[in-house]
PDB file of all heavy atoms in Angstrom:
ATOM      1  N   VAL A  59      82.551  14.882-192.535  1.00  0.00           N
ATOM      2  CA  VAL A  59      83.232  13.965-193.379  1.00  0.00           C
ATOM      3  C   VAL A  59      82.596  12.588-193.480  1.00  0.00           C
ATOM      4  O   VAL A  59      82.749  11.925-194.506  1.00  0.00           O
ATOM      5  CB  VAL A  59      84.733  13.778-193.009  1.00  0.00           C
ATOM      6  CG1 VAL A  59      85.503  15.104-193.157  1.00  0.00           C
ATOM      7  CG2 VAL A  59      84.854  13.208-191.593  1.00  0.00           C
ATOM      8  N   HIS A  60      81.823  12.216-192.471  1.00  0.00           N
ATOM      9  CA  HIS A  60      81.219  10.897-192.479  1.00  0.00           C
ATOM     10  C   HIS A  60      80.135  10.797-193.545  1.00  0.00           C
ATOM     11  O   HIS A  60      79.751   9.748-194.008  1.00  0.00           O
ATOM     12  CB  HIS A  60      80.671  10.545-191.106  1.00  0.00           C
ATOM     13  CG  HIS A  60      81.787  10.520-190.071  1.00  0.00           C
ATOM     14  ND1 HIS A  60      82.809   9.583-190.065  1.00  0.00           N
ATOM     15  CD2 HIS A  60      82.079  11.407-189.064  1.00  0.00           C
ATOM     16  CE1 HIS A  60      83.637   9.865-189.108  1.00  0.00           C
ATOM     17  NE2 HIS A  60      83.202  10.944-188.465  1.00  0.00           N
ATOM     18  N   VAL A  61      79.619  11.966-194.021  1.00  0.00           N
ATOM     19  CA  VAL A  61      78.632  11.980-195.042  1.00  0.00           C
ATOM     20  C   VAL A  61      79.300  11.654-196.384  1.00  0.00           C
ATOM     21  O   VAL A  61      78.793  10.922-197.216  1.00  0.00           O
ATOM     22  CB  VAL A  61      77.932  13.351-195.124  1.00  0.00           C
ATOM     23  CG1 VAL A  61      77.110  13.447-196.400  1.00  0.00           C
ATOM     24  CG2 VAL A  61      77.049  13.572-193.909  1.00  0.00           C
ATOM     25  N   VAL A  62      80.471  12.232-196.629  1.00  0.00           N
ATOM     26  CA  VAL A  62      81.109  12.099-197.937  1.00  0.00           C
ATOM     27  C   VAL A  62      82.169  10.972-198.029  1.00  0.00           C
ATOM     28  O   VAL A  62      82.483  10.577-199.144  1.00  0.00           O
ATOM     29  CB  VAL A  62      81.800  13.441-198.360  1.00  0.00           C
ATOM     30  CG1 VAL A  62      80.710  14.496-198.618  1.00  0.00           C
ATOM     31  CG2 VAL A  62      82.825  13.947-197.342  1.00  0.00           C
ATOM     32  N   LEU A  63      82.661  10.476-196.936  1.00  0.00           N
ATOM     33  CA  LEU A  63      83.683   9.411-196.997  1.00  0.00           C
ATOM     34  C   LEU A  63      83.268   8.222-197.855  1.00  0.00           C
ATOM     35  O   LEU A  63      84.087   7.718-198.638  1.00  0.00           O
ATOM     36  CB  LEU A  63      84.089   8.925-195.620  1.00  0.00           C
ATOM     37  CG  LEU A  63      85.056   9.810-194.894  1.00  0.00           C
ATOM     38  CD1 LEU A  63      85.350   9.234-193.496  1.00  0.00           C
ATOM     39  CD2 LEU A  63      86.300   9.994-195.667  1.00  0.00           C
ATOM     40  N   PRO A  64      82.004   7.733-197.772  1.00  0.00           N
ATOM     41  CA  PRO A  64      81.667   6.595-198.597  1.00  0.00           C
ATOM     42  C   PRO A  64      81.596   6.888-200.118  1.00  0.00           C
ATOM     43  O   PRO A  64      81.531   5.955-200.889  1.00  0.00           O
ATOM     44  CB  PRO A  64      80.235   6.217-198.079  1.00  0.00           C
ATOM     45  CG  PRO A  64      80.088   6.873-196.775  1.00  0.00           C
ATOM     46  CD  PRO A  64      80.979   8.104-196.801  1.00  0.00           C
ATOM     47  N   ILE A  65      81.565   8.160-200.500  1.00  0.00           N
ATOM     48  CA  ILE A  65      81.403   8.450-201.905  1.00  0.00           C
ATOM     49  C   ILE A  65      82.644   9.028-202.609  1.00  0.00           C
ATOM     50  O   ILE A  65      82.668   9.187-203.791  1.00  0.00           O
ATOM     51  CB  ILE A  65      80.232   9.404-202.108  1.00  0.00           C
ATOM     52  CG1 ILE A  65      80.488  10.752-201.509  1.00  0.00           C
ATOM     53  CG2 ILE A  65      78.921   8.801-201.626  1.00  0.00           C
ATOM     54  CD1 ILE A  65      79.495  11.846-201.961  1.00  0.00           C
ATOM     55  N   VAL A  66      83.667   9.366-201.872  1.00  0.00           N
ATOM     56  CA  VAL A  66      84.850  10.051-202.480  1.00  0.00           C
ATOM     57  C   VAL A  66      85.891   9.028-202.889  1.00  0.00           C
ATOM     58  O   VAL A  66      85.998   7.961-202.343  1.00  0.00           O
ATOM     59  CB  VAL A  66      85.466  11.106-201.520  1.00  0.00           C
ATOM     60  CG1 VAL A  66      84.440  12.193-201.218  1.00  0.00           C
ATOM     61  CG2 VAL A  66      86.026  10.507-200.259  1.00  0.00           C
ATOM     62  N   SER A  67      86.704   9.458-203.897  1.00  0.00           N
ATOM     63  CA  SER A  67      87.843   8.616-204.235  1.00  0.00           C
ATOM     64  C   SER A  67      89.135   9.246-203.820  1.00  0.00           C
ATOM     65  O   SER A  67      90.125   8.526-203.581  1.00  0.00           O
ATOM     66  CB  SER A  67      87.847   8.414-205.791  1.00  0.00           C
ATOM     67  OG  SER A  67      87.848   9.628-206.406  1.00  0.00           O
ATOM     68  N   VAL A  68      89.213  10.559-203.689  1.00  0.00           N
ATOM     69  CA  VAL A  68      90.356  11.298-203.249  1.00  0.00           C
ATOM     70  C   VAL A  68      89.895  12.278-202.195  1.00  0.00           C
ATOM     71  O   VAL A  68      88.868  12.949-202.345  1.00  0.00           O
ATOM     72  CB  VAL A  68      91.092  12.077-204.378  1.00  0.00           C
ATOM     73  CG1 VAL A  68      92.229  12.849-203.857  1.00  0.00           C
ATOM     74  CG2 VAL A  68      91.542  11.065-205.457  1.00  0.00           C
ATOM     75  N   ALA A  69      90.689  12.372-201.071  1.00  0.00           N
ATOM     76  CA  ALA A  69      90.318  13.329-200.056  1.00  0.00           C
ATOM     77  C   ALA A  69      91.473  14.258-199.767  1.00  0.00           C
ATOM     78  O   ALA A  69      92.652  13.845-199.824  1.00  0.00           O
ATOM     79  CB  ALA A  69      89.920  12.576-198.800  1.00  0.00           C
ATOM     80  N   ALA A  70      91.147  15.490-199.505  1.00  0.00           N
ATOM     81  CA  ALA A  70      92.141  16.494-198.991  1.00  0.00           C
ATOM     82  C   ALA A  70      91.701  16.853-197.585  1.00  0.00           C
ATOM     83  O   ALA A  70      90.539  17.313-197.371  1.00  0.00           O
ATOM     84  CB  ALA A  70      92.192  17.707-199.865  1.00  0.00           C
ATOM     85  N   ILE A  71      92.575  16.664-196.638  1.00  0.00           N
ATOM     86  CA  ILE A  71      92.291  17.028-195.298  1.00  0.00           C
ATOM     87  C   ILE A  71      92.854  18.424-195.054  1.00  0.00           C
ATOM     88  O   ILE A  71      94.073  18.664-195.158  1.00  0.00           O
ATOM     89  CB  ILE A  71      92.922  16.052-194.255  1.00  0.00           C
ATOM     90  CG1 ILE A  71      92.534  14.627-194.613  1.00  0.00           C
ATOM     91  CG2 ILE A  71      92.515  16.402-192.834  1.00  0.00           C
ATOM     92  CD1 ILE A  71      91.089  14.267-194.569  1.00  0.00           C
ATOM     93  N   VAL A  72      91.956  19.396-194.699  1.00  0.00           N
ATOM     94  CA  VAL A  72      92.383  20.749-194.427  1.00  0.00           C
ATOM     95  C   VAL A  72      92.106  21.085-192.961  1.00  0.00           C
ATOM     96  O   VAL A  72      90.995  20.858-192.489  1.00  0.00           O
ATOM     97  CB  VAL A  72      91.613  21.743-195.329  1.00  0.00           C
ATOM     98  CG1 VAL A  72      91.994  23.204-195.063  1.00  0.00           C
ATOM     99  CG2 VAL A  72      91.778  21.407-196.818  1.00  0.00           C
ATOM    100  N   SER A  73      93.095  21.598-192.270  1.00  0.00           N
ATOM    101  CA  SER A  73      92.948  21.958-190.915  1.00  0.00           C
ATOM    102  C   SER A  73      93.550  23.307-190.650  1.00  0.00           C
ATOM    103  O   SER A  73      94.756  23.544-191.011  1.00  0.00           O
ATOM    104  CB  SER A  73      93.604  20.863-190.002  1.00  0.00           C
ATOM    105  OG  SER A  73      93.538  21.240-188.652  1.00  0.00           O
ATOM    106  N   ARG A  74      92.804  24.181-190.076  1.00  0.00           N
ATOM    107  CA  ARG A  74      93.247  25.531-189.754  1.00  0.00           C
ATOM    108  C   ARG A  74      93.850  26.249-190.966  1.00  0.00           C
ATOM    109  O   ARG A  74      94.908  26.907-190.894  1.00  0.00           O
ATOM    110  CB  ARG A  74      94.273  25.530-188.614  1.00  0.00           C
ATOM    111  CG  ARG A  74      93.601  25.056-187.318  1.00  0.00           C
ATOM    112  CD  ARG A  74      94.527  25.119-186.140  1.00  0.00           C
ATOM    113  NE  ARG A  74      93.797  24.694-184.955  1.00  0.00           N
ATOM    114  CZ  ARG A  74      94.191  23.677-184.172  1.00  0.00           C
ATOM    115  NH1 ARG A  74      95.299  23.040-184.455  1.00  0.00           N
ATOM    116  NH2 ARG A  74      93.476  23.318-183.173  1.00  0.00           N
ATOM    117  N   GLY A  75      93.188  26.080-192.066  1.00  0.00           N
ATOM    118  CA  GLY A  75      93.617  26.780-193.312  1.00  0.00           C
ATOM    119  C   GLY A  75      94.763  26.145-194.070  1.00  0.00           C
ATOM    120  O   GLY A  75      95.151  26.682-195.093  1.00  0.00           O
ATOM    121  N   SER A  76      95.269  25.019-193.631  1.00  0.00           N
ATOM    122  CA  SER A  76      96.369  24.366-194.327  1.00  0.00           C
ATOM    123  C   SER A  76      96.002  22.980-194.735  1.00  0.00           C
ATOM    124  O   SER A  76      95.334  22.271-193.994  1.00  0.00           O
ATOM    125  CB  SER A  76      97.624  24.293-193.427  1.00  0.00           C
ATOM    126  OG  SER A  76      98.038  25.561-193.052  1.00  0.00           O
ATOM    127  N   VAL A  77      96.424  22.567-195.914  1.00  0.00           N
ATOM    128  CA  VAL A  77      96.233  21.226-196.406  1.00  0.00           C
ATOM    129  C   VAL A  77      97.162  20.320-195.678  1.00  0.00           C
ATOM    130  O   VAL A  77      98.382  20.462-195.745  1.00  0.00           O
ATOM    131  CB  VAL A  77      96.433  21.121-197.935  1.00  0.00           C
ATOM    132  CG1 VAL A  77      96.284  19.676-198.386  1.00  0.00           C
ATOM    133  CG2 VAL A  77      95.487  22.053-198.663  1.00  0.00           C
ATOM    134  N   ARG A  78      96.592  19.401-194.892  1.00  0.00           N
ATOM    135  CA  ARG A  78      97.426  18.482-194.149  1.00  0.00           C
ATOM    136  C   ARG A  78      97.772  17.226-194.929  1.00  0.00           C
ATOM    137  O   ARG A  78      98.792  16.611-194.713  1.00  0.00           O
ATOM    138  CB  ARG A  78      96.726  18.065-192.847  1.00  0.00           C
ATOM    139  CG  ARG A  78      96.578  19.284-191.933  1.00  0.00           C
ATOM    140  CD  ARG A  78      96.194  18.940-190.514  1.00  0.00           C
ATOM    141  NE  ARG A  78      96.928  17.841-189.947  1.00  0.00           N
ATOM    142  CZ  ARG A  78      96.475  17.140-188.939  1.00  0.00           C
ATOM    143  NH1 ARG A  78      95.257  17.406-188.417  1.00  0.00           N
ATOM    144  NH2 ARG A  78      97.174  16.154-188.401  1.00  0.00           N
ATOM    145  N   LEU A  79      96.865  16.795-195.832  1.00  0.00           N
ATOM    146  CA  LEU A  79      97.078  15.572-196.574  1.00  0.00           C
ATOM    147  C   LEU A  79      96.155  15.492-197.755  1.00  0.00           C
ATOM    148  O   LEU A  79      95.019  15.906-197.690  1.00  0.00           O
ATOM    149  CB  LEU A  79      96.793  14.394-195.628  1.00  0.00           C
ATOM    150  CG  LEU A  79      97.022  13.008-196.110  1.00  0.00           C
ATOM    151  CD1 LEU A  79      98.532  12.801-196.364  1.00  0.00           C
ATOM    152  CD2 LEU A  79      96.498  11.971-195.127  1.00  0.00           C
ATOM    153  N   ILE A  80      96.646  15.003-198.865  1.00  0.00           N
ATOM    154  CA  ILE A  80      95.798  14.646-200.041  1.00  0.00           C
ATOM    155  C   ILE A  80      96.192  13.257-200.459  1.00  0.00           C
ATOM    156  O   ILE A  80      97.391  12.969-200.660  1.00  0.00           O
ATOM    157  CB  ILE A  80      96.050  15.650-201.215  1.00  0.00           C
ATOM    158  CG1 ILE A  80      95.700  17.074-200.855  1.00  0.00           C
ATOM    159  CG2 ILE A  80      95.240  15.142-202.448  1.00  0.00           C
ATOM    160  CD1 ILE A  80      96.026  18.089-201.949  1.00  0.00           C
ATOM    161  N   ASP A  81      95.215  12.384-200.563  1.00  0.00           N
ATOM    162  CA  ASP A  81      95.533  11.021-200.928  1.00  0.00           C
ATOM    163  C   ASP A  81      94.273  10.288-201.378  1.00  0.00           C
ATOM    164  O   ASP A  81      93.155  10.751-201.136  1.00  0.00           O
ATOM    165  CB  ASP A  81      96.161  10.265-199.723  1.00  0.00           C
ATOM    166  CG  ASP A  81      97.173   9.243-200.175  1.00  0.00           C
ATOM    167  OD1 ASP A  81      97.068   8.678-201.277  1.00  0.00           O
ATOM    168  OD2 ASP A  81      98.121   9.012-199.426  1.00  0.00           O
ATOM    169  N   ASP A  82      94.478   9.149-201.966  1.00  0.00           N
ATOM    170  CA  ASP A  82      93.406   8.248-202.350  1.00  0.00           C
ATOM    171  C   ASP A  82      92.712   7.799-201.063  1.00  0.00           C
ATOM    172  O   ASP A  82      93.384   7.471-200.133  1.00  0.00           O
ATOM    173  CB  ASP A  82      93.984   7.028-203.145  1.00  0.00           C
ATOM    174  CG  ASP A  82      92.926   6.101-203.573  1.00  0.00           C
ATOM    175  OD1 ASP A  82      92.516   5.203-202.802  1.00  0.00           O
ATOM    176  OD2 ASP A  82      92.449   6.320-204.724  1.00  0.00           O
ATOM    177  N   ILE A  83      91.380   7.810-201.109  1.00  0.00           N
ATOM    178  CA  ILE A  83      90.628   7.469-199.916  1.00  0.00           C
ATOM    179  C   ILE A  83      90.932   6.070-199.378  1.00  0.00           C
ATOM    180  O   ILE A  83      90.979   5.846-198.175  1.00  0.00           O
ATOM    181  CB  ILE A  83      89.111   7.703-200.102  1.00  0.00           C
ATOM    182  CG1 ILE A  83      88.398   7.737-198.779  1.00  0.00           C
ATOM    183  CG2 ILE A  83      88.548   6.686-201.042  1.00  0.00           C
ATOM    184  CD1 ILE A  83      88.785   8.899-197.896  1.00  0.00           C
ATOM    185  N   SER A  84      91.176   5.126-200.245  1.00  0.00           N
ATOM    186  CA  SER A  84      91.484   3.768-199.790  1.00  0.00           C
ATOM    187  C   SER A  84      92.787   3.722-198.997  1.00  0.00           C
ATOM    188  O   SER A  84      92.913   2.994-197.995  1.00  0.00           O
ATOM    189  CB  SER A  84      91.537   2.777-200.962  1.00  0.00           C
ATOM    190  OG  SER A  84      92.553   3.129-201.856  1.00  0.00           O
ATOM    191  N   VAL A  85      93.738   4.519-199.380  1.00  0.00           N
ATOM    192  CA  VAL A  85      95.004   4.665-198.685  1.00  0.00           C
ATOM    193  C   VAL A  85      94.801   5.308-197.300  1.00  0.00           C
ATOM    194  O   VAL A  85      95.288   4.835-196.276  1.00  0.00           O
ATOM    195  CB  VAL A  85      96.093   5.414-199.463  1.00  0.00           C
ATOM    196  CG1 VAL A  85      97.307   5.672-198.656  1.00  0.00           C
ATOM    197  CG2 VAL A  85      96.412   4.669-200.736  1.00  0.00           C
ATOM    198  N   LEU A  86      93.981   6.312-197.305  1.00  0.00           N
ATOM    199  CA  LEU A  86      93.721   7.010-196.059  1.00  0.00           C
ATOM    200  C   LEU A  86      92.974   6.063-195.086  1.00  0.00           C
ATOM    201  O   LEU A  86      93.249   6.092-193.881  1.00  0.00           O
ATOM    202  CB  LEU A  86      92.856   8.259-196.293  1.00  0.00           C
ATOM    203  CG  LEU A  86      93.562   9.407-196.963  1.00  0.00           C
ATOM    204  CD1 LEU A  86      92.586  10.518-197.305  1.00  0.00           C
ATOM    205  CD2 LEU A  86      94.688   9.920-196.142  1.00  0.00           C
ATOM    206  N   ARG A  87      92.033   5.338-195.594  1.00  0.00           N
ATOM    207  CA  ARG A  87      91.235   4.469-194.715  1.00  0.00           C
ATOM    208  C   ARG A  87      92.112   3.314-194.109  1.00  0.00           C
ATOM    209  O   ARG A  87      92.014   3.040-192.899  1.00  0.00           O
ATOM    210  CB  ARG A  87      90.081   3.832-195.471  1.00  0.00           C
ATOM    211  CG  ARG A  87      88.919   4.644-195.709  1.00  0.00           C
ATOM    212  CD  ARG A  87      87.749   3.869-196.256  1.00  0.00           C
ATOM    213  NE  ARG A  87      86.651   4.753-196.548  1.00  0.00           N
ATOM    214  CZ  ARG A  87      86.131   4.902-197.748  1.00  0.00           C
ATOM    215  NH1 ARG A  87      86.602   4.181-198.754  1.00  0.00           N
ATOM    216  NH2 ARG A  87      85.174   5.716-197.938  1.00  0.00           N
ATOM    217  N   SER A  88      92.953   2.774-194.919  1.00  0.00           N
ATOM    218  CA  SER A  88      93.671   1.567-194.483  1.00  0.00           C
ATOM    219  C   SER A  88      95.021   1.847-193.820  1.00  0.00           C
ATOM    220  O   SER A  88      95.327   1.290-192.767  1.00  0.00           O
ATOM    221  CB  SER A  88      93.851   0.613-195.607  1.00  0.00           C
ATOM    222  OG  SER A  88      94.697   1.209-196.630  1.00  0.00           O
TER     223      SER A  88
END
């Protein structure tokens, strides 16, 4: 994720086959 974090605007966090979170990257960061 550290490769793509600087370039994405929206991220979906998937863990063990389930979507844990989808949000604007600025919200996720802060």
Side-chain angles (χ1 to χ4, degrees):
V59 296
H60 301 291
V61 169
V62 293
L63 280 179
I65 66 167
V66 300
S67 57
V68 175
I71 308 298
V72 179
S73 177
R74 296 185 177 122
S76 298
V77 177
R78 293 194 45 203
L79 184 67
I80 298 175
D81 213 331
D82 182 271
I83 194 65
S84 61
V85 172
L86 290 174
R87 280 191 186 120
S88 62

